[in-house]
Amino acid sequence: MPHFQRISLVHYHELGLKGHNRSTFERHLMRNLSSLLEDAPVEKVTRISGRVLVMYQASADASEIAEAADLIARVPGVARVSCGFVCDRELDQMYAAADAALSEAGAFDTWKVVARRNHTDFEIDSMEMNQLVGAYLCERYPDKKVKMKHPDVEVHVEVVQGHSYIYAQSIPGVGGLPVGTAGKVVCLMSSGIDSPVAAWRMARRGATCIGVHFSGRPQTASTSEYLVDDIAHVLERFGGIARVYVVPFGDYQRDIAGMVPPALRIIIYRRLMMRIAERIARREGAKALVTGESLGQVASQTLDNLAATNAAVEMQIFRPLIGSDKLEIIADAQKLGTFEISSNPAPDCCTLFMPRSPETHAKIADVEAAEEALPWQEWIEEIMENLELHEYRCPSSYRVRDAARAAEQAQSSSRVADADAAVSQGTVLFG
C-alpha cells in the first residue's frame, strides 16, 4: 500500500456562520492551533475550503497523531476533527487512501462513501467518485454492508485545491468560538468544581480568561492554591487561561469576621472579592467578571444575596452556570478534566470563619451599613501591591503581550514607527 501524508481536517460550524469578519475568526483559530501544537509532530497548519488543514510530519506515529487530534478537539472553535490522508487527484491513489482510511476506522459492519469535488477542473464528478471508490471498497470488504442511512463509518473523499483529502475517523470537538475573539474576562476561581467550568464556558465563547484565586492563607494552608494551579494547567492545554492572580485573603476575612454581624460575613467577603477582581480587571483591560455561582445552590447564591454582591462593583458580572444544577456542572467538569482535581479537600477562604446561620435574603442597605467602618480602600491598595501572579500558555494573550513588549522596546530605541506597528499588530491579533 502506498505511503500517504497523514492529516487532520478541522471542521467548524459557528465560525462558518459569520459574515465579513469570518476570516478574522478563522485566523484566530489557526493561530491558536499552531501555537498549541508547537510540541506535536506537525509540518504545517493552513486553511482550505472552509476548514483548517493540519499536516503531520512523515516521522509522526499513530499515537502522536491521536494525541494531537485529541488536543485539537478540545480547542474552542473546533466542531469536529477528521483524521486521514492527503494524496494526488489520481484514482489509484484515491482508492488506496480510502482503503487505508477505512482500515483504521475501527470495528464496523456498515459503511458508505461520501465524495465531493470543489472544482470542476477535476473531470470526475461527486456522484461518479462515490460509485468508483465505493465499488473498489466493496471488493476489498466483501463481508461488510453498504448502508446509505446512518452507517457505522463514512469514508469521505474530497477533491479540493489540487489534492484529494480522504478520511474515515472523526472526533467531536467542543465547538464555540476561538479564544481571543471576544476580549478578556476576569474569572473568580476557587479549587472547587464550579468555577473552572464557568471559565471553560467563557473560553468556549471566545473570551481570554484571567483567573483570580482568593486563598485562605495565612489563616489556612495553601492547598487550594496548588489545586488551582493544577486546574489552570488543564485549562491551558487548549489555551483557556492566560494567568492567575493569587490573593492571600485570610487575614482580611479574619478582620471582617470581627467587625460585622455574623449573618452578613459571607456577603461582605464576596463584596471585597468583587472589588479586588474589578481592580484586576481594569488593570488587565478586561470587560467583565465571571463567577461559578448557580442560583440557589448555597446561601450566598440567592437572588437577594447576588444583588447585594453585584452592588459592590460597576463592572458587568457573568454567571455562566446560573441555571445549571450540580449534576450538570459535575458532568461538564468531568468532560473538561478538572473534576478529580476539584474533588480533593482543601481549606479555602470560602469556608473560613463561616457563620452558623448566614443571611439568605440580605438587603443592600443593611450590608452597606454593616461595612461602613471597614477600611476598604486601604485593604484594596494593600492587596493590589501584594498580588502573586502565575502565567500560563494562552496564545491569544501572549501574542498581545509580545506585541506590547516589542512596542516598548521600539519606543525606548526611538523607533516610533516600529512601535506603532507592533501595537497595531497586537490589537488586531487580539480582536
Side-chain angles (χ1 to χ4, degrees), residues 403-419:
R405 287 177 179 171
E408 187 176 340
Q409 290 172 359
Q411 285 175 332
S412 67
S413 302
S414 300
R415 295 194 296 267
V416 177
D418 291 345

Side-chain angles (χ1 to χ4, degrees), residues 269-332:
Y269 295 158
R270 295 195 66 78
R271 282 168 63 89
L272 177 55
M273 292 178 191
M274 287 294 184
R275 289 181 170 113
I276 295 164
E278 184 180 43
R279 281 287 297 272
I280 293 172
R282 298 199 186 285
R283 173 186 289 186
E284 284 280 349
K287 298 297 193 297
L289 307 179
V290 179
T291 77
E293 293 163 312
S294 172
L295 185 61
Q297 185 168 259
V298 294
S300 65
Q301 296 173 18
T302 64
L303 284 176
D304 290 327
N305 288 358
L306 292 175
T309 302
N310 291 354
V313 296
E314 297 178 355
M315 188 168 285
Q316 58 188 337
I317 302 173
F318 296 153
R319 296 181 170 91
L321 310 183
I322 195 68
S324 300
D325 63 36
K326 197 66 177 183
L327 292 178
E328 292 169 331
I329 298 169
I330 287 173
D332 275 354

Side-chain angles (χ1 to χ4, degrees), residues 148-196:
M148 291 295 103
K149 292 186 177 180
H150 310 298
D152 297 332
V153 178
E154 292 184 355
V155 181
H156 289 256
V157 179
E158 301 188 16
V159 177
V160 182
Q161 297 176 359
H163 292 87
S164 299
Y165 300 92
I166 299 172
Y167 57 90
Q169 288 182 316
S170 286
I171 306 170
V174 297
L177 298 173
V179 174
T181 57
K184 286 185 184 179
V185 296
V186 164
C187 303
L188 282 75
M189 292 187 63
S190 72
S191 61
I193 295 170
D194 301 344
S195 55

